[in-house]
Amino acid sequence: MKRLILIISFTFCTIALNAKIYDLVNPSGKLKLQVEVSDHITWTLLVNNNEVMSDNRVSMSLADGRVLGSSPKVEKMLRKTMSEKIISPFYRQASIATTYNAMTLRFQGNYSLEFRAYDDGVAYRFITEMKEGYQVKDECVEFKFADDYDMIIPYSDKRADKYMSSFESQYTQQKVSESTEAECFGFFPIALNLKENGWLLLMESDLISYPGAFVRSMEGSIGLKVVFPPMRETEKETSSGCLYPQTYKDVIAEVEGTRSFPWRVIGYAADDKELPLNNMVYKLAPPSRVEDISWILPGKSTWDWWNGARLYGVDFISGNNTETYKYHIDFASKFGIEYVMIDDGWYNFRDKNMLAPRADLNLSELCAYAREKGVRIILWAVGHTLEKDAEEICAYYAAMGIAGFKVDFFEAQDQHVVETLYYLAEVTAKHKLLLNIHGTFKPTGLNRTWPNVLNYEGVYGLEQMKWTDKDKANMPLNDVLIPYIRMAAGPLDYTQGAMLNASKNDYRSIDHMAMSQGTRAHQLALYVIFDSPLSMLCDSPSNYLREEECTRFIASIPTCFEKTIVVDGKVGENVVMARKKGENWYVGGITSWNPTDYSLNLSFLEEGEWTAEVIKDGVNSNKIGFDYKKQVLTVDTNSMLDFQMASGGGFAVILTPKN
């Protein structure tokens, strides 16, 4: 027995003596990665010299039995410091100036690990240089924490197939130890509150030809472990044209021998206000592959689906027909709205043929009419239906004058779906068509690589109000969490703009008479707060025409900005953001169901007098959600604007220099 103990002790000491630690510190010195290489590879993260994550194993298991990261032998270590200016044309800011420190460890076996440390986070990824392609059985990605931190996490919807999800979930606020995957997995982005050490955001970037990440709790540790959906072995096309997996293989990906893998991202924010401005996902994504982007035009769009294509005060039967969309085009033209979205119903689901629109909808006539009015049309489609004949469909509709597609119902993030989205982004860009991706996972940088991808869903958006009972939805809370968590991953198509606004007690889910929870001013503020280069006006043109003052206010807010600052905010309680485009500033503020008195300091303004056009909660908006007040004021950089935000309330301000 003593001899056995001695042998074990000797073995342990030998491993410890052979272990080597490689440190990587970010430019500010606040973040330190410690990568330990022994008989395996692990990393530890320190924030302000405090250990917050530790002993996270890194490995990749291949189907042929090789394990990258098992008994690793470092052949070479490379370090570099890089500064770059990234042009970000359809984003929350015109450009991103960034500096990072990098370290690459090259191992025997033709693989490397690359680590980067920025001031707003750290990241790592595998790189392989093998002659032949191979299958990946699994990748070990761990997030073990030094304490049982408070966590804000979205869980996938409960389905028989745990790998299937629409990725439209309200957030769960819990301790890390309270996480469970008994019924469903969690997914990125995930926020962790380090108290005095700030926040962490778990994300991924540069997701190409590889599955996206789910997470589950770790047995025996306070932490999360990534779970990857396997490759699909068999699949089934539904009657509506959606393509869903039926059975799975025992590998997660088939890849080329030489490639880089997705970045495992741990974003960092010193305080709440830094979270909405985290640029890690965008910075780590591959650069744009579209040389000429002059044809990519962000903007706003009418949207027929949320309101059931219903109009009133007209002399025709409204619905999916030519007359209805001419009315939408006239409305869009009147208010300077760039696009009209024609959603579900313009082609027959059962036929699965996008080249055969319904008989009472003349698309070529609508395109010609829209062209005369300075408006363009975007078409919705089931993603797989477009994918099957993408070249022919894109060429046909580009020639007709269609501006782009909104694609939907992917419901997964396995390798097949990831490759499909990349293909659709590429083929639509080839034909100079925009792409708005719905029914899928969060952004992972595709919008930088293919900037014609103007928007994403993967968010619990306003459409949920069509069917969600009031005791199951908390949209004001959801809205004040989104900027701090989901928005860090990339743009989101929340589809705001409801003109029917209800207090907490008055809200009801009525499909084709849908309403929002909270106030009118809250809805208008979302046009400033959310990153949404292609932004919807979700309500009926008939309602907007009845509310022309609000409609003109919405139409005057840009969808992309040159500069963004978070003026104030606390995660889960409120947020106030200011954005600049040209000479003008735009400010939006929202609160949860808790009423808030707030004084807006305008010190971010340049010198001189400014005209402030203000939309704020009316005195009765706690009871009547659509009660609001408009003011026009003269202000300067020393001014303060006082607001009494109602329950689920907000405010929006457009600031124009008087000169």
Side-chain angles (χ1 to χ4, degrees), residues 453-469:
V453 179
L454 282 181
N455 221 341
Y456 262 86
E457 193 182 26
V459 67
Y460 193 82
L462 199 66
E463 70 172 345
Q464 304 291 330
M465 297 295 91
K466 287 167 68 70
W467 54 74
T468 306
D469 294 337

Side-chain angles (χ1 to χ4, degrees), residues 152 173 272 476-477 480-481 484 570-574 591-592 594:
I152 307 175
Q173 300 184 63
D272 297 34
L477 174 61
V480 295
L481 287 173
Y484 298 104
K570 187 171 178 58
V571 174
E573 295 185 14
N574 52 67
T591 187
S592 63
N594 298 318

Side-chain angles (χ1 to χ4, degrees), residues 591-617:
T591 187
S592 63
W593 281 127
N594 298 318
T596 303
D597 290 343
Y598 182 74
S599 294
L600 174 64
N601 187 330
L602 296 180
S603 60
F604 57 83
L605 291 176
E606 294 83 1
E607 292 294 330
E609 289 191 331
W610 296 70
T611 298
E613 186 179 353
V614 179
I615 297 286
K616 63 181 184 179
D617 293 328

Side-chain angles (χ1 to χ4, degrees), residues 288-577:
S288 174
R289 297 183 182 176
V290 182
E291 291 187 11
D292 175 20
I293 61 171
S294 62
W295 57 272
I296 303 174
L297 302 176
K300 295 187 180 70
S301 177
T302 68
W303 188 37
D304 56 339
W305 187 82
W306 199 72
N307 54 79
R310 293 186 176 190
L311 302 170
Y312 53 87
V314 297
D315 298 324
F316 55 86
I317 303 298
S318 62
N320 296 117
N321 55 51
T322 303
E323 291 83 359
T324 294
Y325 294 112
K326 281 188 175 181
Y327 193 88
H328 275 247
I329 291 166
D330 289 339
F331 165 77
S333 179
K334 177 178 179 177
F335 291 97
I337 296 166
E338 293 85 352
Y339 299 102
V340 165
M341 174 77 70
I342 301 180
D343 210 284
D344 168 27
W346 67 273
Y347 73 93
N348 192 312
F349 262 173
R350 308 292 175 182
D351 294 342
K352 307 170 190 174
N353 183 1
M354 291 175 61
L355 297 176
R358 54 188 298 157
D360 55 350
L361 188 67
N362 191 323
L363 281 179
S364 58
E365 180 182 340
L366 284 172
C367 281
Y369 188 74
R371 193 177 303 113
E372 293 175 4
K373 298 285 186 173
V375 177
R376 298 192 69 192
I377 292 171
I378 297 172
L379 298 176
W380 176 95
V382 170
H384 178 59
T385 303
L386 175 60
E387 176 201 8
K388 287 191 299 184
D389 301 296
E391 280 286 354
E392 181 182 6
I393 293 169
C394 288
Y396 178 79
Y397 283 115
M400 184 184 290
I402 293 296
F405 293 104
K406 171 184 174 181
V407 289
D408 208 344
F409 291 118
F410 298 95
E411 308 284 304
Q413 57 176 347
D414 60 311
Q415 186 181 24
H416 170 81
V417 168
V418 173
E419 290 178 340
T420 297
L421 295 184
Y422 192 94
Y423 168 70
L424 290 176
E426 184 175 22
V427 73
T428 50
K430 173 183 174 182
H431 293 279
K432 296 187 176 182
L433 294 165
L434 307 179
L435 196 61
N436 182 2
I437 302 173
H438 272 236
T440 190
F441 54 92
K442 78 285 169 190
T444 57
L446 188 65
N447 53 303
R448 181 185 175 192
T449 309
W450 298 103
N452 60 310
V453 179
L454 282 181
N455 221 341
Y456 262 86
E457 193 182 26
V459 67
Y460 193 82
L462 199 66
E463 70 172 345
Q464 304 291 330
M465 297 295 91
K466 287 167 68 70
W467 54 74
T468 306
D469 294 337
K470 66 178 182 179
D471 59 338
K472 294 181 180 178
N474 188 338
M475 291 305 280
L477 174 61
N478 179 64
D479 296 348
V480 295
L481 287 173
I482 287 172
Y484 298 104
I485 305 170
R486 166 60 178 80
M487 210 161 77
L492 53 105
D493 195 10
Y494 177 95
T495 64
Q496 61 268 34
M499 293 291 103
L500 300 177
N501 318 107
S503 65
K504 189 173 186 178
N505 291 329
D506 288 349
Y507 165 79
R508 299 291 185 276
S509 58
I510 306 173
D511 189 359
H512 294 309
M513 288 288 287
M515 64 189 75
S516 71
Q517 291 182 326
T519 70
R520 173 72 57 79
H522 183 108
Q523 285 293 300
L524 270 58
L526 297 181
Y527 285 98
V528 178
I529 292 170
F530 289 158
D531 292 336
S532 187
L534 180 61
S535 193
M536 300 296 115
L537 280 78
C538 69
D539 221 320
S540 168
S542 299
N543 287 343
Y544 287 123
L545 289 168
R546 190 179 62 183
E547 302 283 353
E548 187 163 327
E549 187 172 66
C550 288
T551 305
R552 291 200 179 280
F553 190 93
I554 292 170
S556 64
I557 300 172
T559 62
C560 295
F561 301 89
E562 295 156 9
K563 184 177 182 180
T564 296
I565 60 175
V566 181
V567 179
D568 210 345
K570 187 171 178 58
V571 174
E573 295 185 14
N574 52 67
V575 64
V576 180
M577 297 185 71

Side-chain angles (χ1 to χ4, degrees), residues 27-47:
S28 72
K30 290 184 178 181
L31 307 179
K32 179 190 283 188
L33 263 180
Q34 293 182 328
V35 182
E36 182 174 332
V37 180
S38 57
D39 63 333
H40 54 272
I41 304 167
T42 60
W43 59 268
T44 293
L45 177 64
L46 288 79
V47 177

